[in-house]
Amino acid sequence: MDFLITYGSHTGQSESIAAQLKEKCMLLGMNPRVHVLEENEKTFFIENEPLAVIIVSSTGDGDPPENAARFLRRISRRTLADDFLKNVTYALLGLGDSNYSTYQGVPRKFDEQLTKLGAKKLIPTGEADDEIGLELVVEPWIEQLLKKLCELDHIPISRLEGLTISTPLVKKEKEKKSVAEKPKLPTVMSTEDDRADSSTDRILKLAPYTYPGEISLIRGNEALSSDEALRVPIAPLTYLVTSVTHEKFEPKSVNWQNGESMPGLQGKPMDATVVGTTLLTDFDVHKPKRELVIDLNAHWDQLSYSPGDAFYFLQPNPEAEVNFILERMGLLMMADQKCHVTVAGDAKKPNAAVPGYIPPISSLRYIFTHCLDIRRAPGRPVLRVFADATSDEGEKRRLLELCSSQGMAEFTAHIRQAAVSIVDVLAAFPGVRPAPERLIEQLPRLIPRPYSVSNCYERARGRIRFVYSEMKFGVADGRRYERLGLATEWLNALRVGDQIQVMMKEPARFRFPVPPATVEAGLKMPLLMIGPGTGVSTFISFLDLLLHEKIKIGSLPAVPRKLFFGCRNFEKDFIYKDLLESYVREGILDELIACESQPAKPVPGRHCYVQEALRQRADEVWDFIQLEESRIFICGDAKAMSKDTWECFAKIVAEKKGCSDAEAKAFLLELKKANRYIEDVWA
Ligand code: NAP
């Protein structure tokens, strides 16, 4: 059966699901075509597709991915007849992150428009949430879709069983015992670096971790571990081969990740020099905050950025973790030799190709350090590969449980929510010895991490400032070594004089002045900025630009400019206090409203969270919203702060307009559309 699978992808997730789906369909004997949504009216015409599977996500801003925007505009045209899509049957999968208030906004818009134009649904729409794990919805949705497709194509449903295997329950007691005993064994993660220039600082200690007696990464619940018919996906098709030569590899001989482009990043990697690192808070606060200043050297003349823009840091994986994986594969000794990655001559995977971000010739150390994400909790296909890579029957059984349909809840709890890394899993299953090509095929691409610029271009003179917060993850829940976030761990280790690489992030709508306004127009915009914690760093770039303009032209138009900041304790983590107060003295800000959530002693009248301060000034906030050209900017945490602030504004609007909560939110959505309520929130 010939049909269309089409996707709109910002980070590559929809694209990869589309490719996986195509692979499964082909194994069943179907022949789908896969095209990106922007190929509509070029390679395909949606109105002429009797059957279309659509996979689409929303960006954090609630916009469609760039490669889906034209399609959405096309099906939203008012001039289209009500039966424009009467011949189309579709199945829709939406991807999103419920941390964002715009969760599933784009897929729902797709659904609404497709139905409105007469298209019929093949199966109910799937809404997958990255916050709890996309696979929780994606996999059952694909299963349901494949069943329906088999029915339509008269393929016996029994063929679907070829995509899963049932594992018999052999040597159950022995198996359980074998896994339960093993993880207590290793206490040192990587004993000795085998390379000639080895040094003891590469040794990574692995905290002894005793799994609790109850259900854990290595021990399933009774029902799961006694299930005699686990439904386990067949192992992903292998299609790559690696071969290591005797020649030494020179890392400078390749472009970062083979020069492969990445959505959201623009230009090429730029060399930069670290010229400053400062701890901005007390060191013993819950999340210490640090400043990093880099010099962009000669690249400075070729680029410009606006306040609100961000740069990506091309952070490598930690050396000790890379060594651990290489050692486990038995390849540490040859990790620095040239390694060729090619497609296997007998590859059965349709359209098999070496991923574009893997250089055809590099070294295993290069690939595992710079190209593959080894920190992200492994997906079920990786566990499936691990299950085939151990000779220990007990380990195999447990790994299969974790990737079985029945083990979905345990996978979510002990892999996904526990945020275990590849190293944690390998340490928990010491018999697993994966082949490098299996990991290259299955591990996701290592994505650089973005940080907002915290000073303005005109005043930076090539020296750009960033601020970041440390996130610590302790030894617990199956994590076997303490760690900071991947980028922060690397940023913390940087010293003045170090050379690093950065890339520019594609500008988003969170910019000052708000596009297409000129700087001159921006000066006249009333601003209400809300940025607790490091969220304030972006606003410092706004204020730095205003200061620059004030110095240039003598004075600024008198419009309200207020900043709401929040921290736990004024004495310990009020970052940039002096600088922010100087903006008030300079008349750049007319008010700085600081909130303290965990003061040593409560101070009467002092607000705890920014929302409290906003609520107390409800009249002022409402007057502000009505000012011509006024802009509300919110920057910071997406999980709680941005949602609570949204609710807070909704309450203020409902009260002042005398309307319902839903009407108040519709009003705020209009402000959002008009770029007057603009968020830069990070999950
Ligand atoms: P933080 O130190 O964790 O928190 C700052 C303050 O916000 C604390 O007083 C905290 O109070 C309070 N807070 C907690 N929940 C809140 C809520 N629901 N509403 C209002 N205030 C709340 O902040 P952070 O670690 O700096 O986090 C800032 C966020 O900004 C991160 O998500 C980061 O990714 C993002 N961001 C960073 C950059 C950058 O370039 N580095 C740029 C843009 C955004 P309690 O802890 O006492 O509850």
Side-chain angles (χ1 to χ4, degrees), residues 286-287 289 450-453 466-471 532-535 537-538 566-569 573 595-598 608-611 635-638 640-642 644-645 680-683:
H286 75 304
K287 282 197 248 167
K289 294 172 181 32
Y451 290 90
S452 308
V453 173
F466 301 92
V467 181
Y468 64 93
S469 218
E470 279 179 21
M471 286 284 285
T534 51
S537 68
T538 317
C567 64
R568 280 198 167 178
N569 185 296
D573 63 350
C595 307
E596 189 181 28
S597 59
Q598 299 188 23
C608 160
Y609 279 179
V610 285
Q611 301 85 341
C635 185
D637 158 57
M641 187 278 295
S642 75
D644 294 350
T645 304
D680 184 18
V681 293
W682 308 28

Short mmCIF file of all heavy atoms in Angstrom, two decimals, residues 286-287 289 450-453 466-471 532-535 537-538 566-569 573 595-598 608-611 635-638 640-642 644-645 680-683, ligand 1:
data_model
loop_
_atom_site.label_atom_id
_atom_site.label_comp_id
_atom_site.label_asym_id
_atom_site.label_seq_id
_atom_site.Cartn_x
_atom_site.Cartn_y
_atom_site.Cartn_z
N HIS A 286 21.30 26.74 47.03
CA HIS A 286 20.81 25.51 46.39
C HIS A 286 21.25 25.39 44.94
O HIS A 286 21.57 24.32 44.47
CB HIS A 286 19.29 25.40 46.55
CG HIS A 286 18.50 26.31 45.64
ND1 HIS A 286 18.68 27.67 45.62
CD2 HIS A 286 17.54 26.04 44.72
CE1 HIS A 286 17.85 28.20 44.73
NE2 HIS A 286 17.16 27.23 44.17
N LYS A 287 21.24 26.50 44.23
CA LYS A 287 21.71 26.46 42.84
C LYS A 287 22.67 27.63 42.63
O LYS A 287 22.24 28.74 42.28
CB LYS A 287 20.53 26.63 41.87
CG LYS A 287 19.70 25.40 41.68
CD LYS A 287 18.85 25.56 40.42
CE LYS A 287 17.40 25.69 40.71
NZ LYS A 287 16.59 26.14 39.60
N LYS A 289 25.01 30.38 41.09
CA LYS A 289 24.91 30.99 39.77
C LYS A 289 26.26 31.59 39.39
O LYS A 289 26.92 32.19 40.24
CB LYS A 289 23.81 32.04 39.77
CG LYS A 289 22.46 31.36 39.98
CD LYS A 289 21.33 32.29 40.19
CE LYS A 289 20.00 31.58 40.41
NZ LYS A 289 19.98 30.30 41.07
N PRO A 450 21.92 26.11 24.79
CA PRO A 450 21.89 27.56 24.57
C PRO A 450 21.89 28.38 25.87
O PRO A 450 21.29 27.96 26.87
CB PRO A 450 20.56 27.76 23.84
CG PRO A 450 19.69 26.66 24.35
CD PRO A 450 20.58 25.52 24.77
N TYR A 451 22.53 29.51 25.85
CA TYR A 451 22.50 30.47 26.97
C TYR A 451 22.28 31.86 26.39
O TYR A 451 22.88 32.22 25.37
CB TYR A 451 23.82 30.43 27.77
CG TYR A 451 23.94 29.14 28.54
CD1 TYR A 451 24.54 28.02 27.97
CD2 TYR A 451 23.38 29.01 29.80
CE1 TYR A 451 24.59 26.81 28.65
CE2 TYR A 451 23.42 27.81 30.49
CZ TYR A 451 24.03 26.71 29.91
OH TYR A 451 24.08 25.53 30.58
N SER A 452 21.44 32.64 27.08
CA SER A 452 21.13 33.98 26.58
C SER A 452 22.30 34.93 26.86
O SER A 452 22.94 34.84 27.89
CB SER A 452 19.91 34.56 27.31
OG SER A 452 18.86 33.65 27.25
N VAL A 453 22.46 35.84 25.93
CA VAL A 453 23.50 36.85 26.11
C VAL A 453 23.05 37.83 27.17
O VAL A 453 21.87 38.20 27.23
CB VAL A 453 23.71 37.59 24.78
CG1 VAL A 453 24.64 38.76 24.98
CG2 VAL A 453 24.24 36.65 23.74
N PHE A 466 27.54 35.63 29.80
CA PHE A 466 26.44 34.66 30.00
C PHE A 466 26.31 34.38 31.48
O PHE A 466 27.28 34.52 32.23
CB PHE A 466 26.75 33.34 29.28
CG PHE A 466 26.97 33.49 27.81
CD1 PHE A 466 28.24 33.70 27.29
CD2 PHE A 466 25.90 33.44 26.94
CE1 PHE A 466 28.44 33.85 25.93
CE2 PHE A 466 26.08 33.59 25.57
CZ PHE A 466 27.36 33.79 25.07
N VAL A 467 25.13 33.94 31.87
CA VAL A 467 24.91 33.57 33.27
C VAL A 467 24.27 32.19 33.29
O VAL A 467 23.42 31.90 32.45
CB VAL A 467 23.96 34.58 33.95
CG1 VAL A 467 23.75 34.22 35.41
CG2 VAL A 467 24.52 35.99 33.84
N TYR A 468 24.69 31.36 34.20
CA TYR A 468 24.04 30.05 34.31
C TYR A 468 23.92 29.62 35.76
O TYR A 468 24.64 30.09 36.62
CB TYR A 468 24.78 29.00 33.47
CG TYR A 468 26.19 28.70 33.91
CD1 TYR A 468 26.46 27.65 34.79
CD2 TYR A 468 27.25 29.46 33.46
CE1 TYR A 468 27.76 27.37 35.20
CE2 TYR A 468 28.56 29.19 33.86
CZ TYR A 468 28.81 28.15 34.73
OH TYR A 468 30.09 27.89 35.13
N SER A 469 22.98 28.69 35.95
CA SER A 469 22.65 28.18 37.27
C SER A 469 23.12 26.73 37.31
O SER A 469 22.92 26.00 36.35
CB SER A 469 21.13 28.18 37.33
OG SER A 469 20.61 28.52 38.53
N GLU A 470 23.69 26.31 38.41
CA GLU A 470 24.15 24.91 38.51
C GLU A 470 22.99 24.02 38.95
O GLU A 470 22.31 24.34 39.91
CB GLU A 470 25.22 24.78 39.59
CG GLU A 470 26.58 25.17 39.15
CD GLU A 470 27.58 25.04 40.29
OE1 GLU A 470 27.31 24.31 41.27
OE2 GLU A 470 28.61 25.71 40.20
N MET A 471 22.85 22.89 38.30
CA MET A 471 21.84 21.90 38.71
C MET A 471 22.60 20.66 39.13
O MET A 471 23.36 20.11 38.33
CB MET A 471 20.95 21.53 37.53
CG MET A 471 19.96 22.58 37.16
SD MET A 471 18.60 22.64 38.30
CE MET A 471 17.69 21.19 37.80
N PRO A 532 12.84 36.05 37.38
CA PRO A 532 13.46 35.55 38.61
C PRO A 532 14.72 34.72 38.29
O PRO A 532 14.82 34.14 37.20
CB PRO A 532 12.39 34.64 39.23
CG PRO A 532 11.19 34.74 38.37
CD PRO A 532 11.58 35.35 37.07
N GLY A 533 15.64 34.65 39.23
CA GLY A 533 16.85 33.84 39.06
C GLY A 533 17.65 34.28 37.86
O GLY A 533 17.73 35.47 37.54
N THR A 534 18.22 33.30 37.13
CA THR A 534 19.04 33.66 35.97
C THR A 534 18.18 34.20 34.82
O THR A 534 18.73 34.68 33.83
CB THR A 534 19.83 32.44 35.45
OG1 THR A 534 18.92 31.35 35.28
CG2 THR A 534 20.93 32.04 36.39
N GLY A 535 16.87 34.11 34.94
CA GLY A 535 15.98 34.71 33.95
C GLY A 535 16.27 36.20 33.78
O GLY A 535 16.01 36.78 32.74
N SER A 537 19.10 37.55 33.46
CA SER A 537 20.31 37.84 32.68
C SER A 537 19.96 38.45 31.32
O SER A 537 20.63 39.36 30.86
CB SER A 537 21.16 36.58 32.52
OG SER A 537 20.51 35.66 31.70
N THR A 538 18.89 37.95 30.70
CA THR A 538 18.50 38.49 29.40
C THR A 538 18.10 39.97 29.53
O THR A 538 18.40 40.78 28.66
CB THR A 538 17.30 37.70 28.84
OG1 THR A 538 17.55 36.33 29.08
CG2 THR A 538 17.08 37.95 27.39
N GLY A 566 13.37 37.82 41.29
CA GLY A 566 13.13 36.99 42.47
C GLY A 566 14.33 36.11 42.77
O GLY A 566 15.01 35.64 41.86
N CYS A 567 14.62 35.95 44.04
CA CYS A 567 15.68 35.02 44.44
C CYS A 567 15.28 34.44 45.80
O CYS A 567 14.27 34.85 46.38
CB CYS A 567 17.03 35.72 44.52
SG CYS A 567 17.11 36.99 45.77
N ARG A 568 16.09 33.52 46.32
CA ARG A 568 15.72 32.92 47.61
C ARG A 568 16.07 33.83 48.78
O ARG A 568 15.30 33.97 49.71
CB ARG A 568 16.43 31.58 47.78
CG ARG A 568 15.74 30.49 47.02
CD ARG A 568 16.16 29.14 47.51
NE ARG A 568 15.25 28.14 46.96
CZ ARG A 568 15.37 26.85 47.15
NH1 ARG A 568 16.36 26.37 47.87
NH2 ARG A 568 14.49 26.01 46.64
N ASN A 569 17.27 34.40 48.71
CA ASN A 569 17.74 35.15 49.87
C ASN A 569 18.59 36.33 49.39
O ASN A 569 19.60 36.12 48.69
CB ASN A 569 18.59 34.19 50.74
CG ASN A 569 19.02 34.84 52.01
OD1 ASN A 569 19.77 35.81 51.99
ND2 ASN A 569 18.56 34.32 53.13
N ASP A 573 21.79 35.24 47.09
CA ASP A 573 21.69 34.98 45.65
C ASP A 573 20.94 36.07 44.87
O ASP A 573 20.30 35.78 43.86
CB ASP A 573 21.10 33.58 45.38
CG ASP A 573 19.68 33.40 45.88
OD1 ASP A 573 19.19 34.29 46.61
OD2 ASP A 573 19.05 32.37 45.54
N CYS A 595 11.86 40.23 44.91
CA CYS A 595 11.09 39.34 45.78
C CYS A 595 12.06 38.31 46.37
O CYS A 595 12.97 37.85 45.69
CB CYS A 595 10.02 38.61 44.98
SG CYS A 595 8.99 39.75 44.04
N GLU A 596 11.80 37.97 47.62
CA GLU A 596 12.72 37.06 48.33
C GLU A 596 11.90 35.86 48.84
O GLU A 596 11.04 36.03 49.70
CB GLU A 596 13.35 37.82 49.49
CG GLU A 596 14.46 37.10 50.19
CD GLU A 596 15.02 37.93 51.36
OE1 GLU A 596 14.26 38.73 51.94
OE2 GLU A 596 16.21 37.75 51.69
N SER A 597 12.18 34.68 48.30
CA SER A 597 11.30 33.55 48.64
C SER A 597 11.68 32.85 49.93
O SER A 597 10.84 32.24 50.58
CB SER A 597 11.25 32.54 47.49
OG SER A 597 12.55 32.06 47.23
N GLN A 598 12.96 32.92 50.33
CA GLN A 598 13.35 32.22 51.56
C GLN A 598 14.27 33.10 52.41
O GLN A 598 15.46 32.80 52.58
CB GLN A 598 14.04 30.90 51.22
CG GLN A 598 13.11 29.97 50.45
CD GLN A 598 13.68 28.58 50.24
OE1 GLN A 598 14.55 28.12 50.97
NE2 GLN A 598 13.17 27.90 49.24
N CYS A 608 7.23 37.31 48.31
CA CYS A 608 7.95 36.05 48.20
C CYS A 608 8.23 35.73 46.73
O CYS A 608 9.36 35.61 46.31
CB CYS A 608 7.06 35.02 48.89
SG CYS A 608 7.35 33.37 48.48
N TYR A 609 7.19 35.69 45.92
CA TYR A 609 7.32 35.39 44.50
C TYR A 609 6.88 36.59 43.66
O TYR A 609 6.06 37.40 44.11
CB TYR A 609 6.42 34.20 44.11
CG TYR A 609 6.99 32.83 44.42
CD1 TYR A 609 6.24 31.70 44.13
CD2 TYR A 609 8.25 32.67 44.95
CE1 TYR A 609 6.73 30.42 44.38
CE2 TYR A 609 8.75 31.40 45.21
CZ TYR A 609 7.99 30.29 44.93
OH TYR A 609 8.48 29.04 45.18
N VAL A 610 7.37 36.65 42.42
CA VAL A 610 7.02 37.77 41.54
C VAL A 610 5.50 37.93 41.37
O VAL A 610 5.02 39.07 41.29
CB VAL A 610 7.70 37.64 40.16
CG1 VAL A 610 9.17 37.97 40.23
CG2 VAL A 610 7.49 36.26 39.54
N GLN A 611 4.77 36.81 41.37
CA GLN A 611 3.32 36.92 41.14
C GLN A 611 2.63 37.70 42.26
O GLN A 611 1.66 38.41 42.01
CB GLN A 611 2.65 35.55 41.03
CG GLN A 611 3.14 34.66 39.94
CD GLN A 611 4.37 33.87 40.38
OE1 GLN A 611 5.01 34.24 41.35
NE2 GLN A 611 4.70 32.84 39.67
N CYS A 635 10.91 35.86 31.46
CA CYS A 635 12.04 35.00 31.16
C CYS A 635 12.39 34.14 32.38
O CYS A 635 12.51 34.66 33.49
CB CYS A 635 13.24 35.86 30.78
SG CYS A 635 14.62 34.87 30.27
N GLY A 636 12.52 32.87 32.18
CA GLY A 636 12.92 32.01 33.30
C GLY A 636 12.37 30.61 33.15
O GLY A 636 12.24 30.09 32.04
N ASP A 637 11.99 30.05 34.29
CA ASP A 637 11.63 28.64 34.36
C ASP A 637 10.24 28.36 33.78
O ASP A 637 9.27 29.03 34.12
CB ASP A 637 11.73 28.26 35.85
CG ASP A 637 10.93 27.04 36.18
OD1 ASP A 637 11.17 26.01 35.55
OD2 ASP A 637 10.06 27.12 37.08
N ALA A 638 10.19 27.35 32.91
CA ALA A 638 8.92 27.03 32.26
C ALA A 638 8.04 26.13 33.12
O ALA A 638 6.84 26.10 32.96
CB ALA A 638 9.20 26.32 30.93
N ALA A 640 7.26 25.99 36.45
CA ALA A 640 6.28 26.54 37.39
C ALA A 640 6.09 28.04 37.19
O ALA A 640 4.97 28.53 37.05
CB ALA A 640 6.74 26.26 38.82
N MET A 641 7.22 28.78 37.14
CA MET A 641 7.12 30.23 37.16
C MET A 641 6.27 30.78 36.01
O MET A 641 5.37 31.58 36.22
CB MET A 641 8.54 30.83 37.14
CG MET A 641 8.61 32.32 37.32
SD MET A 641 8.30 33.32 35.85
CE MET A 641 9.65 32.88 34.79
N SER A 642 6.55 30.34 34.79
CA SER A 642 5.84 30.96 33.66
C SER A 642 4.35 30.61 33.71
O SER A 642 3.50 31.44 33.38
CB SER A 642 6.46 30.55 32.34
OG SER A 642 6.11 29.25 32.01
N ASP A 644 2.57 29.93 36.45
CA ASP A 644 1.94 30.68 37.55
C ASP A 644 1.78 32.15 37.18
O ASP A 644 0.80 32.80 37.55
CB ASP A 644 2.78 30.55 38.83
CG ASP A 644 2.78 29.11 39.35
OD1 ASP A 644 1.99 28.30 38.83
OD2 ASP A 644 3.58 28.80 40.27
N THR A 645 2.77 32.67 36.44
CA THR A 645 2.69 34.09 36.05
C THR A 645 1.53 34.29 35.06
O THR A 645 0.79 35.27 35.14
CB THR A 645 4.04 34.54 35.46
OG1 THR A 645 5.04 34.27 36.41
CG2 THR A 645 4.04 36.02 35.13
N ASP A 680 10.28 33.76 27.20
CA ASP A 680 11.47 32.98 26.88
C ASP A 680 11.65 32.05 28.07
O ASP A 680 12.30 32.40 29.05
CB ASP A 680 12.69 33.91 26.74
CG ASP A 680 13.93 33.14 26.32
OD1 ASP A 680 13.79 32.02 25.81
OD2 ASP A 680 15.04 33.67 26.49
N VAL A 681 10.95 30.92 28.01
CA VAL A 681 10.95 30.06 29.20
C VAL A 681 11.56 28.72 28.88
O VAL A 681 11.37 28.18 27.80
CB VAL A 681 9.52 29.93 29.80
CG1 VAL A 681 9.09 31.26 30.36
CG2 VAL A 681 8.52 29.43 28.80
N TRP A 682 12.34 28.21 29.84
CA TRP A 682 13.17 27.04 29.60
C TRP A 682 12.80 25.94 30.58
O TRP A 682 12.77 26.17 31.79
CB TRP A 682 14.65 27.40 29.75
CG TRP A 682 15.11 28.60 28.95
CD1 TRP A 682 14.35 29.66 28.55
CD2 TRP A 682 16.41 28.83 28.44
NE1 TRP A 682 15.11 30.55 27.83
CE2 TRP A 682 16.39 30.07 27.75
CE3 TRP A 682 17.62 28.13 28.50
CZ2 TRP A 682 17.50 30.62 27.15
CZ3 TRP A 682 18.73 28.68 27.90
CH2 TRP A 682 18.67 29.90 27.21
N ALA A 683 12.53 24.77 30.04
CA ALA A 683 12.14 23.64 30.90
C ALA A 683 13.38 22.99 31.51
O ALA A 683 14.44 23.04 30.95
CB ALA A 683 11.38 22.63 30.08
P1 NAP B 1 16.04 29.75 40.89
O1 NAP B 1 17.28 30.20 41.55
O2 NAP B 1 15.67 28.30 40.99
O3 NAP B 1 14.76 30.56 41.38
C1 NAP B 1 14.72 31.95 41.43
C2 NAP B 1 13.56 32.37 42.30
O4 NAP B 1 12.32 31.99 41.68
C3 NAP B 1 13.59 31.69 43.69
O5 NAP B 1 13.29 32.65 44.65
C4 NAP B 1 12.50 30.67 43.58
O6 NAP B 1 11.89 30.38 44.84
C5 NAP B 1 11.50 31.41 42.72
N1 NAP B 1 10.43 30.56 42.21
C6 NAP B 1 10.30 29.21 42.28
N2 NAP B 1 9.12 28.83 41.76
C7 NAP B 1 8.50 29.94 41.37
C8 NAP B 1 7.24 30.18 40.77
N3 NAP B 1 6.39 29.21 40.47
N4 NAP B 1 6.93 31.45 40.48
C9 NAP B 1 7.76 32.46 40.77
N5 NAP B 1 8.96 32.31 41.36
C10 NAP B 1 9.33 31.05 41.64
O7 NAP B 1 16.11 30.18 39.37
P2 NAP B 1 17.14 29.72 38.26
O8 NAP B 1 17.77 28.42 38.58
O9 NAP B 1 18.05 30.83 37.99
O10 NAP B 1 16.16 29.44 37.07
C11 NAP B 1 15.82 30.36 36.13
C12 NAP B 1 15.31 29.70 34.87
O11 NAP B 1 15.66 30.58 33.83
C13 NAP B 1 15.92 28.35 34.49
O12 NAP B 1 14.86 27.50 34.08
C14 NAP B 1 16.80 28.69 33.30
O13 NAP B 1 16.88 27.63 32.38
C15 NAP B 1 16.07 29.85 32.72
N6 NAP B 1 16.82 30.74 31.84
C16 NAP B 1 18.15 30.82 31.86
C17 NAP B 1 18.80 31.64 30.97
C18 NAP B 1 20.28 31.64 30.88
O14 NAP B 1 20.79 32.18 29.90
N7 NAP B 1 20.99 31.08 31.81
C19 NAP B 1 18.08 32.45 30.12
C20 NAP B 1 16.70 32.39 30.16
C21 NAP B 1 16.07 31.54 31.04
P3 NAP B 1 12.03 28.99 45.64
O15 NAP B 1 13.19 28.24 45.04
O16 NAP B 1 12.27 29.42 47.05
O17 NAP B 1 10.72 28.29 45.46
#
